[in-house]
Amino acid sequence: GSFDCTTNINWTPGNNPEISLEADLLQTAVQLKSFAYPIEDVQGHISFHRDETNPTLLRADLTNIQGKHGDTKVVLHNGFALLQPNQDWRVRLDDLQVEDLTPNNRFRRALPAGFREVIETLDPRDGNVSLAGMLEFYGTGNPQDGVTSAWDLEILCAGTSVTAGVDLKHLDGKFLINGTWDGQIIVTDGLSDLTSMTILGYQFSN
């Protein structure tokens, strides 16, 4: 895709130049290396600059980003990415909204380990899922180290089926979950607020 941008360069001979860039995305396609789930028709604003509190960090602020993957709509109101001199990095997606998500194999393979295990265990299928909240990823300059993550999400289900010991079918309602994955151990908890579901052929409400 393409983008409009304004670039500011501040350079003194003998020193490294300081460069900042403001970019408006125009029908762009993007994909994070740590989350290989392509998003197309992306619009929004990105600001690249040195972090004000720690000038050794490169920072990208993400504002009002929106795009889609098939029928899935993605909106990110606020987020940022940080890159340290040693190539350690952090991406935080605040106020993220995903509508009409189909949690198929393509989506699950893109998830970081840990979070992917939670989704695989619940095995959401049928119906669509929407989610809102925060996702955060950490990584290092060494790809062998893998990616760690944290999340705080509200997940809305409409006619979805999940597995929780037994199959819960035609599920309507929401789950509130938060957790972390440090590369070895996953810690997560949450609450459910369900309006209806079917278990072993019997329907339950509220």
Side-chain angles (χ1 to χ4, degrees):
S2 59
F3 58 90
D4 294 335
C5 71
T6 301
T7 305
N8 294 308
I9 301 174
N10 184 6
W11 177 63
T12 303
N15 297 313
N16 292 326
E18 290 296 330
I19 301 172
S20 63
L21 185 147
E22 303 287 333
D24 289 310
L25 304 178
L26 308 172
Q27 302 298 317
T28 309
V30 299
Q31 178 174 289
L32 293 174
K33 287 185 177 181
S34 60
F35 184 57
Y37 190 74
I39 306 297
E40 300 176 340
D41 295 335
V42 177
Q43 302 178 61
H45 186 80
I46 303 180
S47 174
F48 295 95
H49 54 90
R50 291 281 178 184
D51 187 66
E52 295 179 359
T53 59
N54 185 350
T56 64
L57 299 179
L58 290 174
R59 181 182 178 105
D61 289 311
L62 315 172
T63 309
N64 295 327
I65 305 291
Q66 55 183 309
K68 64 182 182 179
H69 177 99
D71 294 330
T72 301
K73 182 180 179 181
V74 179
V75 177
L76 173 65
H77 293 289
N78 291 290
F80 65 84
L82 295 174
L83 179 64
Q84 299 184 27
N86 64 0
Q87 302 300 306
D88 288 357
W89 57 268
R90 174 189 178 196
V91 174
R92 182 180 174 100
L93 309 178
D94 286 302
D95 202 2
L96 173 68
Q97 297 177 340
V98 181
E99 298 177 2
D100 296 328
L101 172 66
T102 302
N104 53 24
N105 288 335
R106 175 68 183 271
F107 172 76
R108 298 183 194 194
R109 286 196 302 268
L111 293 171
F115 192 66
R116 180 172 61 244
E117 293 176 5
V118 173
I119 300 301
E120 290 284 6
T121 300
L122 291 173
D123 189 22
R125 57 203 183 275
D126 308 323
N128 287 328
V129 174
S130 296
L131 60 87
M134 181 277 294
L135 275 174
E136 193 163 15
F137 306 103
Y138 303 84
T140 72
N142 183 359
Q144 308 268 335
D145 292 340
V147 176
T148 62
S149 56
W151 54 89
D152 187 356
L153 298 170
E154 177 182 272
I155 301 176
L156 303 176
C157 299
T160 313
S161 296
V162 301
T163 299
V166 296
D167 286 342
L168 312 181
K169 298 183 177 181
H170 311 301
L171 192 153
D172 288 285
K174 64 183 177 181
F175 294 93
L176 306 173
I177 63 169
N178 61 77
T180 59
W181 162 253
D182 66 2
Q184 294 183 333
I185 298 173
I186 183 172
V187 178
T188 187
D189 59 33
L191 301 170
S192 62
D193 182 7
L194 307 178
T195 56
S196 66
M197 62 182 168
T198 301
I199 304 176
L200 300 176
Y202 295 93
Q203 184 173 357
F204 294 81
S205 299
N206 301 315

